[in-house]
């Protein structure tokens, strides 16, 4: 893509102050500059600062090569596969420094070991062998290892609002792609043709939705049309990466808006085809309110500063679906716990081709659901052990939600909340508190009587 001269916004015309950056980021920018290199703060950090939001992280780009960065910073570790990135380790933060790249960012390949882990000579050989930019026959980028200019680095980024740079040399903002205007208008727009950019990396469609929901932006019309048109191709991205993206999407605190955009674009159906077909089937008669309410609950928890684990998110989002699956297995004769296991196993199997949920998370989803049956016994056997188990908090949170949804478990929630919050003094214990188990002495075996 050819661009005109960049728009340079001087310090007097934008609100970003060095005071808003992390002191470590400022230190790194200055150290690069003082060593004669270009140093920009880029990406989401600049976008968020311009919007008055607190950035999640501070990314820096420079014309120093990874080897030069390593020479300047003692706390530097080079990471990454074909494209080396420098991680500068500080006491409580890691600052990422990249050398300007051209073309588009690629997805790391799973089979190849990180370049940083290879001996220097082999690394060079591999670099020399590797073609500079490799796309497959469908135009998806497979390899990219070319250092570039500041402009090339900006235009290989995904969205205009993500491509602004803050220049430490004069505190100006450099805009090659119209990002300032789009930021002002609240628009997510790809840099270049959205069909090409989403074909190169389908995950960008999810990023468009995430940023639109997070910032309250709209998705620009051609970008949105391309998202709808190409939504099914999201399944070409790697399932572990899609899992990470799904977590980011639903844990950003704008669940309803995210869900609407994912449903309308067809991305949701492509990510969760079985669940989506079930939703469409079920909502023939009456609309599904579970998912919307579950996402509201997740947002509320996030707003209250509570951490929502991946397993709680998945259990909440898919709870009703899993419950119906479980009911199906029960009807065909499975005992309750086994029915839960079977439902979760089937669900995990359905997700493997698209959103790869790690096994350990699957086990925890199953535990949350299996605990629902256990909660009905108040207190039941070994209640303390049950309440002290890891995952109890998530299971109780799920119980709170489902009992409010079905209007049937208030007493149960109240019991377990009391059980976990009150100090249990043995003399005050009533019926509802666990019995302390008596320790049984093992009887000594008597020696056999002489015959
Ligand atoms: P946040 O960190 O708040 O989620 P971000 O914009 O910083 O948002 P990152 O994933 O940290 O997002 O990426 C940093 C920057 O790298 C982005 O702002 C964007 O410029 C670029 N980038 C990230 N992913 C892609 C991608 N798939 N294609 C092109 N550019 C990308
Ligand atoms: Mg970031």
């Amino acid at each position: 893509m050819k661009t005109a001269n960049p728009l340079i916004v001087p310090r007097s015309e934008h609100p970003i102050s060095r005071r808003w950056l992390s002191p470590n980021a400022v230190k790194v920018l200055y150290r690069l500059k003082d060593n004669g290199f270009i140093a920009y703060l880029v990406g989401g950090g600049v976008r968020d600062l311009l919007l008055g939001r607190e950035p999640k992280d501070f990314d820096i780009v420079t014309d120093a090569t990874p080897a030069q960065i390593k020479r300047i910073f003692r706390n530097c570790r080079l990471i990454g596969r074909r494209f080396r990135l420098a991680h500068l380790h500080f006491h409580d933060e890691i600052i990422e420094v990249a050398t300007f790249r051209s073309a588009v960012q690629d997805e790391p390949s799973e089979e190849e070991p990180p370049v940083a882990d290879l001996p220097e000579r082999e690394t060079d050989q591999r670099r020399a062998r590797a073609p500079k930019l490799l796309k497959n026959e469908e135009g998806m980028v497979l390899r990219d290892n070319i250092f570039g200019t500041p402009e090339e680095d900006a235009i290989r980024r995904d969205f205009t609002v993500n491509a602004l740079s803050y220049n430490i040399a004069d505190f100006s903002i450099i805009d090659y792609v119209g990002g300032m205007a789009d930021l002002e208008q609240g628009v997510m727009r790809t840099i270049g043709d959205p069909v090409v950019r989403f074909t190169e990396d389908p995950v960008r469609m999810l990023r468009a939705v995430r940023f639109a929901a997070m910032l309250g932006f709209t998705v620009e019309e051609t970008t949105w049309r391309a998202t709808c048109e190409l939504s099914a191709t999201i399944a070409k991205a790697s399932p572990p990466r899609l899992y990470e993206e799904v977590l980011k999407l639903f844990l950003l605190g704008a669940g309803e808006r995210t869900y609407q955009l994912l449903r309308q674009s067809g991305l949701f159906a492509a990510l969760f085809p079985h669940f989506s077909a079930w939703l469409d089937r079920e909502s023939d008669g009456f609309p599904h309110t579970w998912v919307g309410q579950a996402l509201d609950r997740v947002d509320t928890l996030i707003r209250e500063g509570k951490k929502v684990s991946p397993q709680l998110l998945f259990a909440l989002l898919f709870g009703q679906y899993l419950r119906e699956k479980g009911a199906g297995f029960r009807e065909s004769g499975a005992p309750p716990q086994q029915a839960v296991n079977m439902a979760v196993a089937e669900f995990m199997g359905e997700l493997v081709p698209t959103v790869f949920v790690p096994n350990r998370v699957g086990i925890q989803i199953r535990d949350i659901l299996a605990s629902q049956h256990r909660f009905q016994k108040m207190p039941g056997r070994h209640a303390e052990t049950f309440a002290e188990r890891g995952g109890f908090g998530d299971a109780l949170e799920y119980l709170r939600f489902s009992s409010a949804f079905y209007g049937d478990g208030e007493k149960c929630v109240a019991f377990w909340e009391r059980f976990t919050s009150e100090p249990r003094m043995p003399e005050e214990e009533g019926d509802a508190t666990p019995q302390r188990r008596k320790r049984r002495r093992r009887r000594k075996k008597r020696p056999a009587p002489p015959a």
Side-chain angles (χ1 to χ4, degrees):
M1 193 177 101
K2 192 82 209 100
T3 53
N5 286 336
L7 170 72
I8 309 277
V9 185
R11 173 65 189 91
S12 55
E13 288 172 30
H14 71 76
I16 297 184
S17 151
R18 269 163 298 165
R19 272 178 297 138
W20 297 352
L21 274 66
S22 93
N24 293 327
V26 175
K27 234 185 277 171
V28 173
L29 287 165
Y30 272 118
R31 179 89 67 90
L32 286 165
K33 174 183 157 307
D34 293 343
N35 278 275
F37 295 108
I38 302 174
Y40 298 159
L41 180 73
V42 287
V46 181
R47 176 198 68 215
D48 290 345
L49 288 174
L50 285 169
L51 292 170
R53 301 167 56 94
E54 194 184 331
K56 220 169 60 192
D57 39 37
F58 294 96
D59 296 332
I60 290 172
V61 290
T62 176
D63 57 346
T65 62
Q68 287 169 322
I69 300 168
K70 194 159 174 60
R71 245 173 272 141
I72 300 174
F73 297 96
R74 270 191 314 156
N75 56 344
C76 170
R77 274 205 62 194
L78 295 184
I79 58 136
R81 295 171 192 254
R82 290 173 294 281
F83 220 105
R84 283 212 241 184
L85 272 181
H87 270 185
L88 305 184
H89 290 255
F90 292 92
H91 174 59
D92 52 355
E93 143 176 70
I94 294 175
I95 304 273
E96 198 172 283
V97 183
T99 309
F100 290 128
R101 294 182 213 179
S102 67
V104 276
Q105 191 180 41
D106 64 346
E107 192 185 326
S109 101
E110 257 83 17
E111 341 55 81
E112 224 177 330
V115 162
D117 295 348
L118 293 171
E120 197 65 28
R121 208 161 40 84
E122 203 182 317
T123 318
D124 291 343
Q125 279 170 0
R126 192 199 278 175
R127 285 225 173 77
R129 261 200 332 266
K132 281 188 164 184
L133 175 67
L134 189 70
K135 293 188 183 187
N136 69 7
E137 62 280 5
E138 288 159 331
M140 191 156 147
V141 171
L142 302 175
R143 187 189 295 280
D144 156 17
N145 60 359
I146 325 154
F147 293 134
T149 63
E151 176 177 359
E152 285 169 333
D153 189 82
I155 64 176
R156 68 152 181 106
R157 292 173 184 277
D158 46 7
F159 301 100
T160 59
V161 296
N162 284 352
L164 298 165
S165 312
Y166 170 80
N167 184 359
I168 197 68
D170 60 3
F171 316 123
S172 66
I173 285 173
I174 308 173
D175 178 7
Y176 286 99
V177 292
M180 287 301 272
D182 284 342
L183 205 64
E184 246 156 62
Q185 283 167 25
V187 171
M188 292 308 302
R189 183 198 309 269
T190 53
I191 300 171
D193 183 345
V195 172
V196 174
R197 303 309 310 279
F198 292 159
T199 307
E200 287 170 349
D201 180 4
V203 169
R204 289 177 184 147
M205 295 186 279
L206 294 181
R207 291 174 57 87
V209 167
R210 171 151 64 93
F211 296 125
M214 178 174 98
L215 306 171
F217 280 21
T218 54
V219 182
E220 176 274 330
E221 206 187 310
T222 54
T223 303
W224 178 250
R225 247 186 286 130
T227 309
C228 298
E229 193 183 309
L230 296 175
S231 57
T233 66
I234 195 65
K236 290 186 183 173
S238 97
R241 188 174 174 212
L242 289 178
Y243 169 71
E244 293 301 327
E245 287 297 326
V246 164
L247 292 186
K248 286 186 197 167
L249 277 162
F250 287 112
L251 294 178
L252 68 86
E256 181 61 24
R257 172 108 180 101
T258 301
Y259 180 60
Q260 290 308 333
L261 290 169
L262 290 177
R263 288 278 282 171
Q264 287 160 9
S265 58
L267 284 166
F268 194 84
L271 288 170
F272 304 108
H274 294 85
F275 175 65
S276 200
W278 175 81
L279 274 183
D280 294 341
R281 235 181 5 255
E282 294 296 308
S283 56
D284 272 353
F286 56 93
H288 264 280
T289 52
W290 172 285
V291 179
Q293 289 190 31
L295 289 170
D296 278 351
R297 174 60 62 94
V298 171
D299 288 350
T300 308
L301 291 171
I302 293 170
R303 246 196 328 276
E304 289 169 354
K306 296 190 184 128
K307 200 165 156 28
V308 178
S309 66
Q311 52 273 20
L312 178 60
L313 172 72
F314 272 74
L316 283 174
L317 195 53
F318 301 104
Q320 201 178 35
Y321 180 54
L322 286 163
R323 193 177 154 122
E324 288 207 16
K325 267 190 192 295
F329 286 117
R330 287 211 65 184
E331 270 165 32
S332 37
Q337 294 299 347
Q338 204 180 324
V340 170
N341 294 352
M342 290 162 89
V344 176
E346 188 175 272
F347 171 65
M348 294 281 288
E350 288 172 1
L351 287 183
V352 168
T354 50
V355 179
F356 184 79
V357 180
N359 222 1
R360 110 195 99 78
V361 175
I363 291 169
Q364 287 159 331
I365 297 171
R366 188 198 63 198
D367 283 352
I368 291 175
L369 298 175
S371 300
Q372 303 310 305
H373 192 66
R374 172 65 185 82
F375 278 130
Q376 305 310 316
K377 297 183 193 124
M378 296 177 267
R381 292 178 63 200
H382 310 313
E384 294 220 24
T385 317
F386 172 56
E388 280 162 12
R389 243 186 24 184
F392 178 85
D394 279 349
L396 184 57
E397 200 53 64
Y398 184 93
L399 177 70
R400 273 191 204 107
F401 176 75
S402 74
S403 64
F405 184 83
Y406 291 112
D408 64 359
E410 260 172 54
K411 260 169 69 184
C412 193
V413 173
F415 171 82
W416 287 103
E417 281 179 346
R418 217 174 40 240
F419 186 87
T420 47
S421 65
E422 281 174 2
R424 285 180 298 286
M425 310 292 282
E427 58 269 28
E428 287 173 11
E429 281 177 0
D431 288 345
T433 41
Q435 302 271 321
R436 212 176 251 201
R437 270 176 80 196
K438 277 190 195 149
R439 238 205 242 157
R440 274 204 202 141
R441 285 243 181 97
R442 235 199 237 159
R443 265 205 212 143
K444 271 193 191 154
K445 264 193 190 162
R446 282 206 194 135

